[in-house]
Amino acid sequence: MIIPFSPPYINKAVIHEVNSALESGWITTGPKVKLLEELVCKYTLASNTLCVNSATSGLILALKWFGVKPGDEVIIPAYTYAATALAVIHAGATPVMVDVEDDFNISVAQIEKAITNKTKAIIPVDIAGWPCDYDAIYDLITKKKTLFNPTHQNQTKLGRILIIADSAHSIGATYKNKFLGSVTDITVFSFHAVKNVTTAEGGAVCINLPEPFSNQEEYNYLRCFSLNGQTKDAFTKSKAGSWRYDIIYPGLKINMPDILAAIGVAQMPEYFEKTLDSRKEIYKYYQTFFSDKAWAILPPYKSEERLSSCHLYALRIKDISEATRDTIINKISKNGVAVNVHFQPLPLLTLFKDMGYNIDYFPKAYNNYKCEISLPIYPQLTKEQLKYIVETVEGAVESTL
Ligand SMILES: *Cc1c(COP(=O)(O)O)cnc(C)c1O
């Protein structure tokens, strides 16, 4: 049996929506993007949502909006995808990496040690779809408020460190019964091809800033900034008599086209009404199977406060070395099941190593990584495929240990 790791979920509804964009006479940013933004707000209860061409762009946009610049520090987990750190670098600031906890997410105790008077933002990452402890993070930045040193009007207005959730994995996850998207100042979702909801490439920036900010005004600013800082989008300009525009900011060009938004428009209702539940069923199937294996460490799924969006099934094997994990992966792969590792901690990657980040300072990140294997999880998986996956993994582990 051949089982791919994460094929996109493309059904008739998706094809219908994309065709409708193609046939409409308008293919770049326009009505489909507007619709997708409304759907994200509807399902997550975010105050406002701006769609962009990737989560990476969305993170850069959020940092630039807050006036983050060279000399500033942004705290991120060492255990994440590189985009979290690259966004900080592209904003010109310094990524300050901190270690994580057993649940893979950023350690609040380590954040506390890392906050300085240069800290402008924190980007917690909901690894695998498991929400970070946001109340603890907010309590901490409130406690550290006097250290905050604003150097931009939005920083003065907020009066504290900004929380930008990297929720690339966690659309549909809940924290204290609230969907992510409505929990933090800014939440960035990814609609990349392998994510729970996709537009092939794309991202969404959800805005829930406290008073005295107007989320609608900040949305208007961010939208303009995502379109070269131009006062009119191409859709508006294309109407008769509407040609004149102005450029008012040194913006980015990171808007989402309607063709891609159409995929997401078809996926959102299906995801929140059906395929998110299919992911949860698969996750629970894995939890049940591995729960009586002495060698398995199960990933978090649910607590009183949190419920995962089941983006990844991050299985860990107790007390194994990186080399043993790799041997197990080879055996699984030989049997046709594509698995993955999420993530290589950033200090293991050349760029960050060369910048001086050292894995020795992130022992938990390394320990999570060295024994981790991500199993396939997507709604198209059948009962037979799931049975084959767990038996293949069990066989590979038990013949290796
Ligand atoms: C996928 C991913 C991103 C980047 O998403 P893009 O839409 O591809 O830019 C950022 N952070 C994490 C944790 C991711 O997994």
Side-chain angles (χ1 to χ4, degrees):
M1 215 183 276
I2 301 289
I3 301 178
F5 184 69
S6 180
Y9 181 81
I10 304 297
N11 60 6
K12 287 230 165 70
V14 169
I15 292 165
H16 173 79
E17 273 300 329
V18 173
N19 276 336
S20 117
L22 287 168
E23 287 164 359
S24 73
W26 191 260
I27 56 174
T28 188
T29 312
K32 298 284 187 205
V33 168
K34 193 93 240 156
L35 204 53
L36 181 56
E37 292 178 346
E38 284 164 11
L39 286 169
V40 174
C41 289
K42 175 184 158 190
Y43 284 105
T44 69
L45 299 182
S47 172
N48 289 78
T49 299
L50 175 78
C51 284
V52 288
N53 63 359
S54 71
T56 309
S57 306
L59 291 169
I60 298 169
L61 179 66
L63 291 166
K64 282 187 172 280
W65 167 82
F66 201 52
V68 171
K69 59 171 194 331
D72 291 340
E73 295 175 351
V74 177
I75 297 174
I76 63 166
Y79 195 86
T80 178
Y81 177 60
T84 320
L86 291 172
V88 178
I89 292 170
H90 290 311
T94 306
V96 175
M97 292 183 197
V98 303
D99 209 356
V100 295
E101 297 286 354
D102 280 336
D103 68 356
F104 296 99
N105 283 347
I106 193 163
S107 158
V108 179
Q110 296 301 323
I111 295 176
E112 176 155 20
K113 288 189 207 157
I115 291 175
T116 72
N117 62 0
K118 293 180 186 159
T119 309
K120 292 297 164 66
I122 301 172
I123 312 182
V125 185
D126 305 317
I127 297 287
W130 179 245
C132 295
D133 190 352
Y134 289 109
D135 279 2
I137 294 171
Y138 273 93
D139 285 349
L140 179 59
I141 58 173
T142 307
K143 198 172 100 183
K144 296 273 186 177
K145 228 170 161 167
T146 50
L147 214 54
F148 188 66
N149 178 26
T151 53
H152 179 273
Q153 60 185 36
N154 285 340
Q155 295 175 15
T156 307
K157 210 162 158 183
L158 188 66
R160 58 160 171 79
I161 293 169
L162 177 73
I163 304 298
I164 307 170
D166 179 338
S167 290
H169 300 177
S170 55
I171 191 164
T174 56
Y175 181 77
K176 298 201 168 162
N177 291 317
K178 283 167 87 180
F179 280 108
L180 295 186
S182 62
V183 175
T184 57
D185 301 325
I186 294 182
T187 307
V188 180
F189 293 127
S190 172
F191 297 142
H192 176 266
V194 301
K195 304 290 156 76
N196 285 20
V197 174
T198 186
T199 58
E201 295 284 354
V205 180
C206 298
I207 315 159
N208 294 285
L209 293 160
E211 300 270 318
F213 286 101
S214 150
N215 288 306
Q216 183 61 45
E217 270 173 34
E218 300 312 328
Y219 167 87
N220 294 345
Y221 171 86
L222 289 171
R223 185 163 196 278
C224 174
F225 205 91
S226 74
L227 279 153
N228 281 340
Q230 186 169 308
T231 50
K232 271 183 200 166
D233 63 26
F235 187 68
T236 313
K237 248 176 59 186
S238 72
K239 303 215 170 100
S242 189
W243 63 272
R244 194 184 291 278
Y245 64 87
D246 195 9
I247 299 286
I248 50 177
Y249 311 112
L252 302 167
K253 185 63 169 60
I254 55 170
N255 54 304
M256 176 186 280
D258 264 22
I259 291 195
L260 298 188
I263 304 174
V265 166
Q267 288 211 341
M268 283 291 285
E270 182 110 10
Y271 176 64
F272 277 92
E273 284 149 32
K274 205 174 100 193
T275 54
L276 176 56
D277 287 332
S278 321
R279 284 179 173 274
K280 289 178 183 165
E281 289 309 313
I282 295 167
Y283 205 99
K284 286 189 274 186
Y285 176 90
Y286 285 149
Q287 293 291 68
T288 307
F289 183 87
F290 293 112
S291 64
D292 60 5
K293 309 288 175 244
W295 44 260
I297 305 172
L298 306 187
Y301 169 61
K302 193 179 175 173
S303 72
E304 220 166 274
E305 294 167 348
R306 307 184 230 185
L307 179 61
S308 176
S309 66
C310 302
H311 172 58
L312 300 170
Y313 190 82
L315 180 68
R316 279 168 292 179
I317 318 294
K318 260 178 212 157
D319 301 325
I320 59 167
S321 68
E322 199 178 338
T324 305
R325 188 271 316 276
D326 295 351
T327 304
I328 295 169
I329 288 184
N330 282 339
K331 290 186 183 176
I332 297 171
S333 310
K334 283 211 180 84
N335 283 298
V337 178
V339 293
N340 239 300
V341 174
H342 292 93
F343 287 92
Q344 299 180 74
L346 302 182
L348 291 182
L349 305 173
T350 301
L351 170 72
F352 303 107
K353 219 186 281 175
D354 289 352
M355 288 171 79
Y357 297 95
N358 182 342
I359 191 64
D360 293 349
Y361 294 106
F362 310 97
K364 286 227 164 126
Y366 183 76
N367 278 326
N368 286 338
Y369 152 77
K370 80 175 177 30
C371 61
E372 198 269 354
I373 303 174
S374 303
L375 307 187
I377 180 164
Y378 45 91
Q380 306 94 306
L381 284 169
T382 63
K383 287 245 149 60
E384 295 80 65
Q385 287 176 315
L386 287 173
K387 187 161 178 287
Y388 183 74
I389 293 167
V390 293
E391 285 170 359
T392 303
V393 171
E394 181 187 33
V397 173
E398 293 185 354
S399 66
T400 307
L401 293 184

